[in-house]
Amino acid sequence: MARIFSGIQPTGIATLGNYLGALRNWVALQEGEDDCVFCLVDMHAITNFQDPAALREQTRQMAALLLACGIDPARSILFHQSAVSAHARLAWIFNCVARMGWLKRMTQFKDKAGKNQEEVSTGLFVYPNLMAADIHAYHATKVPVGDDQLQHLELANDIAEKFNHDYGVTFFPRIEPLILKESARVMSLRDGTRKMSKSDPSDQSRINMTDTADMIDQKIRKAKTDTAPLPDNLHDLVERPEARNLVGIFATITGQTPHQVLNHFAGSGFGPFKSQLAEALIAHVEPIGARTREYLDDTAALDQILRDGAQAAAAIAEPIVAEAERLVGFLPR
Ligand code: AMP
Ligand code: TRP
C-alpha cells in the first residue's frame, strides 16, 4: 500500500478550477487502496503576506470545503500544515540539501517574483523545499497535482536523491506525480487563455465553490464567448479558447466527452448552451456550497476535525523526521 500526499493553499475561496482540477480527484483517490494525507498548507500561504484573521478564516473555509466535497476524516487525514512541526523541521534540513541553482531554475518562483526578485520573501524562494518536506515527511510516493507543480516534484526527487547520497542511505523514496489531465484545466470566464484562479482580481472570471445559484447563473450568462454557433467537432474550437473552455466545463461536470457535448449543441448559439451549463453547474456546485456553510457554522467541531487530523499526521511524520534528524547527526531530544 502506498501513501498519497497533496496540499492546497488556504488562500482565497476555492474555484471550480480547484474543484475539477484537484479536489474532485482527491475525493476519488480516497476510494482507492492507498492512504491519503491532505494538507492545508498555511505555511506556504505566508510566503506572500496574509492578513492573519483572513488566513485563519480561509483555512477553516478550505477545510469546510474539502469536507463538503467528500473528504472523509474517517478515511483520509485532513489537517493544517503548521500544526505538525515535522514539516518545518524537515524543510530546514532540505534548505541545507537543495542547491541555490536548483531553486533559481523554478519557473513558478520566476513567475511569482517577476521583476521583484529582491523584494519577495526568502520563504517564496525556498517554497519548493517545504513542499518536498511535506511529501517526504510521510514517505508518500504518489502526489496528485496540476501540471504546474511538476517541476516542484522533480526537485523533491532531486532533494531525496542528494540526501540519500550525502548520508549514504536509501531513506527517502522516489515520488511519482499523479498529473491531472489537461482536460481538467479550467480557464478564466473572461479570458480563455488564462487559468481560472482564486487570485484573479475579477470575481467574474471564476465560479467560486461557495457561489449561490444566482451568481453562477449570472457569471455563466456573462461569460465571454464569440458570435459563431457551436461547431460539430473539437478541431473547430482550437482558435476559440472561451468556447472550448465552456464546452470542457460542460463535459466534465455532466460526465460526457466534449465530443458528445458538441454533438448535442452543434449549430446552436450560446444562449441555450449557457442556460443548460448554468443549470448543470448549479446542481453540482450549490449543494457543496451549502454543506460548506454548514461545516463553517460549527467552528468548534471543524477545529476538532483538524486537530484530530494533525495528531494522526504527526504520528506518521514524527518518527520519519526524527530519523532524518538522527541521520544528519542531531543528538536525540
Ligand atoms: P492553487 O489554487 O494554485 O493553490 O492550486 C491548488 C490546486 O488546484 C493545484 O493542484 C492546481 O493545479 C489546481 N488548480 C488551480 N487552478 C486550476 C484550474 N483553473 N484548473 C484546474 N486545476 C486548477
Ligand atoms: N504548491 C502546491 C500548489 O500550489 C501546494 C502544495 C504544498 C503541495 N505542498 C504540497 C502539493 C505537497 C502537493 C504536495 O498547488
Side-chain angles (χ1 to χ4, degrees), residues 107-327:
T107 55
Q108 184 173 297
F109 175 74
K110 289 190 266 188
D111 288 349
K112 285 195 179 173
K115 292 194 199 78
N116 228 7
Q117 295 220 354
E118 300 298 312
E119 303 304 323
V120 295
S121 76
T122 50
L124 189 69
F125 187 63
V126 294
Y127 176 114
N129 296 344
L130 176 59
M131 181 164 162
D134 294 341
I135 301 162
H136 288 308
Y138 297 84
H139 278 175
T141 53
K142 296 184 184 172
V143 183
V145 282
D147 57 2
D148 57 324
Q149 297 297 315
L150 193 54
Q151 200 187 24
H152 289 162
L153 296 189
E154 285 162 6
L155 183 92
N157 275 329
D158 291 343
I159 291 175
E161 204 173 291
K162 182 162 166 58
F163 181 99
N164 288 344
H165 176 267
D166 288 355
Y167 295 101
V169 290
T170 46
F171 186 59
F172 289 117
R174 275 194 78 74
I175 301 167
E176 177 202 334
L178 302 179
I179 293 295
L180 307 165
K181 292 184 308 254
E182 167 70 20
S183 66
R185 172 161 291 206
V186 180
M187 310 311 282
S188 159
L189 301 178
R190 306 259 92 220
D191 175 353
T193 64
R194 296 195 9 232
K195 228 173 70 160
M196 180 181 287
S197 166
K198 47 183 146 78
S199 55
D200 193 299
S202 163
D203 192 59
Q204 290 294 326
S205 71
R206 61 180 161 261
I207 304 289
N208 304 308
M209 293 305 290
T210 48
D211 281 349
T212 60
D214 282 352
M215 288 160 89
I216 295 171
D217 191 57
Q218 182 260 21
K219 283 178 180 177
I220 293 299
R221 239 174 320 113
K222 289 204 179 146
K224 185 174 169 196
T225 45
D226 48 45
T227 49
L230 282 152
D232 60 5
N233 70 85
L234 275 175
H235 188 73
D236 290 345
L237 285 179
V238 172
E239 311 259 292
R240 300 169 67 186
E242 286 81 18
R244 188 178 57 198
N245 183 40
L246 294 183
V247 168
I249 295 173
F250 197 116
T252 314
I253 208 96
T254 57
Q256 304 178 69
T257 63
H259 193 77
Q260 286 170 317
V261 174
L262 288 180
N263 266 348
H264 189 258
F265 287 101
S268 122
F270 282 95
F273 170 81
K274 278 182 163 182
S275 63
Q276 285 194 42
L277 172 59
E279 205 177 296
L281 277 170
I282 290 166
H284 214 91
V285 171
E286 210 196 19
I288 296 178
R291 280 199 297 278
T292 304
R293 283 185 283 276
E294 278 170 31
Y295 280 109
L296 285 171
D297 279 344
D298 191 349
T299 327
L302 189 62
D303 288 358
Q304 189 57 46
I305 292 174
L306 291 178
R307 264 198 302 277
D308 292 345
Q311 204 174 21
I316 302 168
E318 195 52 49
I320 293 172
V321 173
E323 177 60 7
E325 289 171 329
R326 193 190 68 78
L327 287 169

Side-chain angles (χ1 to χ4, degrees), residues 74-92:
R75 305 162 76 183
S76 298
I77 296 178
L78 175 66
F79 72 109
H80 57 298
Q81 188 181 29
S82 60
V84 177
S85 69
H87 292 250
R89 282 149 51 206
L90 188 58
W92 181 259

